Amino acid sequence: MTLPRSLRWTGDHLDLLDQRCLPHTVVYRQLTHWREVSDAIRSMAVRGAPAIGVAAAWGVVLAAKAGDDLDQAIEGLRASRPTAVNLSWALNRMQSSAKSNGWVDVHQLERLASAIEAEDRALTQALVNHGIGVLPEDCRVLHHCHTGAVATAGVGTALGVIVAGHQRGIVKHAWLDETRPRLQGAALSAWELGCCGVPSTVIVDGASGLLMRRGQVDVVLVGCDRVAGNGDVANKIGTYNLALAARAHGVPLYVCAPSSSIDITTVDGDAITIEERPEDEITHFRGEPVCASGVRAWNPAFDITPAHLITGLITEFGVIRSPSRESIASLPLAN
Ligand code: MRU
C-alpha cells in the first residue's frame, strides 16, 4: 500500500493528514488560516519534527495570502510547540525572505515553502541512503516513536532507513517501542511498516532492556527533535533510557538527524526547552480515568540523550560517529 502524504499544498490551502486518526482512517484537514496550522501543530494533528517545520512554512504562506501581520503569524506558529527546532528552522527562513523586499511577496513565500518541502524530501532520502550503511547484515532493529514518511514531507528518517534496509534484504525484523503515552510507535510506526511490508513487533517501552539482554537487538535507530551544538539530542521521552540500556548491552544506537534538526545555537542538551504536556495524557486513556481521582502525573514529552551515549548521527551529509562539538561545527550547515 502507498503511504499517504503528510501534507499537500493545493495552491489555495493546505491539505494536512490528521495523524490523530491513524491508523484507522486517512483524513485530510483543509487548513485555510495560519491559526489552523498552529492549532494542528499544537494538537498533534501533524507531528514529527520535519513535517511540523514544513507545515509551518505553509502556514506563513496562508498568513501572507490573507494579508495578516506576518511577524505575528510567525511568532504564533513558533509558539505552537517548543522542542522541535525544525519549526524555527523553517520559520526563520520564511521570515528572512519576507523581510528581504520590504513588502510581502506572496509568490516568493510560496516558492520558498515549496523549496523547503522539496528540500525535506531530498535530505531525508540522502539521510536514508547513508543510514543503510550502518546496518549489520540480517539485523533486528529497535525503534522508538515516530520517524516514518508521514513524520516528514519525504521518506522518513529512522523508519525510512528500516524500510529501505528491509527492501535491500538487510533488515530482518523491527521491534517498535509503543512509545508512551501517545503511542506513536503502536499507532503510527507499526502501521507504516505494515504498509511497507516490513515485519515488526510492538513492545512496551520497558521491554527493551530484556530484549537486549536476550541478544535480540542488533542496532537501535531513533529520530530527533533537536541536536544541540555539542551533540546532545532531544527526542521522544524514553529515548534516554533506551540509550542507557543500549550502552549497557553493547548495542549501537544511531540518531537520524537531518540538518533541519541540528541547532548549533543551542549550546547543549540542558539548554533545550522540553515540552511538558497535560497530566491527563497519563492519568486517562481515551477519556477514561486509569488513576484514582486526584493522582498527579508529570508528563515531559521529550528527554535528552547525552552525546556520549550516541554511536553516530545519521545526517544527509553522512554518518558522524561519536558526535562532538567539533564534528558538528564542521558540518556544512546552511544556517
Ligand atoms: O510528540 P511528537 O509525536 O511530535 O514526537 C515525535 C518525535 O519525537 C519523533 O521521534 C521526532 O520528531 C523525530 S521526527 C522524524
Side-chain angles (χ1 to χ4, degrees):
M1 174 187 156
T2 327
L3 289 167
R5 285 176 60 174
S6 54
L7 41 73
R8 205 167 30 217
W9 176 250
T10 64
D12 169 61
H13 65 266
L14 183 65
D15 277 336
L16 185 87
L17 178 65
D18 189 337
Q19 298 184 31
R20 296 166 305 184
C21 301
L22 294 171
H24 304 300
T25 329
V26 173
V27 176
Y28 282 89
R29 307 279 171 209
Q30 281 192 9
L31 309 185
T32 56
H33 194 275
W34 71 263
R35 285 186 202 282
E36 292 175 332
V37 178
S38 174
D39 285 347
I41 295 171
R42 185 174 294 108
S43 64
M44 296 171 81
V46 56
R47 70 259 292 258
I52 288 174
V54 176
W58 287 118
V60 177
V61 176
L62 287 172
K65 272 179 169 298
D68 294 338
D69 181 321
L70 272 201
D71 284 332
Q72 191 193 4
I74 287 169
E75 292 324 310
L77 285 158
R78 200 189 301 280
S80 314
R81 287 191 81 187
T83 305
V85 73
N86 306 61
L87 191 54
S88 282
W89 175 84
L91 289 171
N92 290 346
R93 290 175 67 181
M94 296 299 285
Q95 195 158 35
S96 307
S97 171
K99 289 198 187 309
S100 63
N101 290 328
W103 55 283
V104 175
D105 182 339
V106 178
H107 295 297
Q108 179 177 314
L109 290 173
E110 200 169 343
R111 280 194 300 277
L112 179 56
S114 180
I116 287 172
E117 184 179 328
E119 210 174 299
D120 187 67
R121 277 195 289 277
L123 56 84
T124 51
Q125 185 61 63
L127 180 156
V128 163
N129 296 344
H130 289 298
I132 294 169
V134 309
L135 300 174
E137 282 301 320
D138 258 350
C139 63
R140 296 147 307 170
V141 186
L142 175 54
H143 172 270
H144 191 67
C145 198
H146 167 45
T147 65
V150 303
T152 69
V155 293
T157 63
L159 216 66
V161 175
I162 294 172
V163 171
H166 180 261
Q167 284 164 349
R168 293 180 198 198
I170 308 169
V171 169
K172 194 161 68 181
H173 191 81
W175 300 104
L176 302 174
D177 274 357
E178 64 170 352
T179 317
R180 289 283 300 152
R182 297 286 300 225
L183 304 178
Q184 289 92 334
L188 300 169
S189 300
W191 163 77
E192 276 209 27
L193 289 191
C195 293
C196 299
V198 181
S200 71
T201 305
V202 175
I203 57 170
V204 298
D205 299 352
S208 52
L210 178 62
L211 260 188
M212 291 186 209
R213 185 175 165 82
R214 290 186 173 175
Q216 302 280 315
V217 180
D218 302 303
V219 58
V220 178
L221 283 185
V222 297
C224 67
D225 289 80
R226 188 183 298 233
V227 180
N230 70 338
D232 293 350
V233 163
N235 191 46
K236 181 53 58 191
I237 189 77
T239 306
Y240 179 33
N241 301 49
L242 195 54
L244 288 167
R247 179 56 55 93
H249 292 90
V251 175
L253 175 136
Y254 291 91
V255 175
C256 294
S259 55
S260 52
S261 302
I262 300 176
D263 176 19
I264 50 167
T265 67
T266 297
V267 63
D268 60 21
D270 291 329
I272 298 175
T273 304
I274 304 272
E275 176 184 6
E276 295 198 13
R277 297 196 51 87
E279 294 183 41
D280 65 4
E281 288 185 350
I282 294 176
T283 58
H284 288 63
F285 185 70
R286 297 209 170 125
E288 293 296 321
V290 289
C291 297
S293 164
V295 168
R296 302 296 310 271
W298 178 52
N299 189 13
F302 302 95
D303 60 21
I304 304 296
T305 300
H308 71 87
L309 293 177
I310 297 168
T311 310
L313 290 179
I314 302 172
T315 75
E316 71 268 30
F317 309 117
V319 180
I320 302 159
R321 294 189 181 268
S322 307
S324 63
R325 197 174 296 286
E326 293 66 38
S327 56
I328 289 182
S330 71
L331 289 174
L333 300 172
N335 46 7

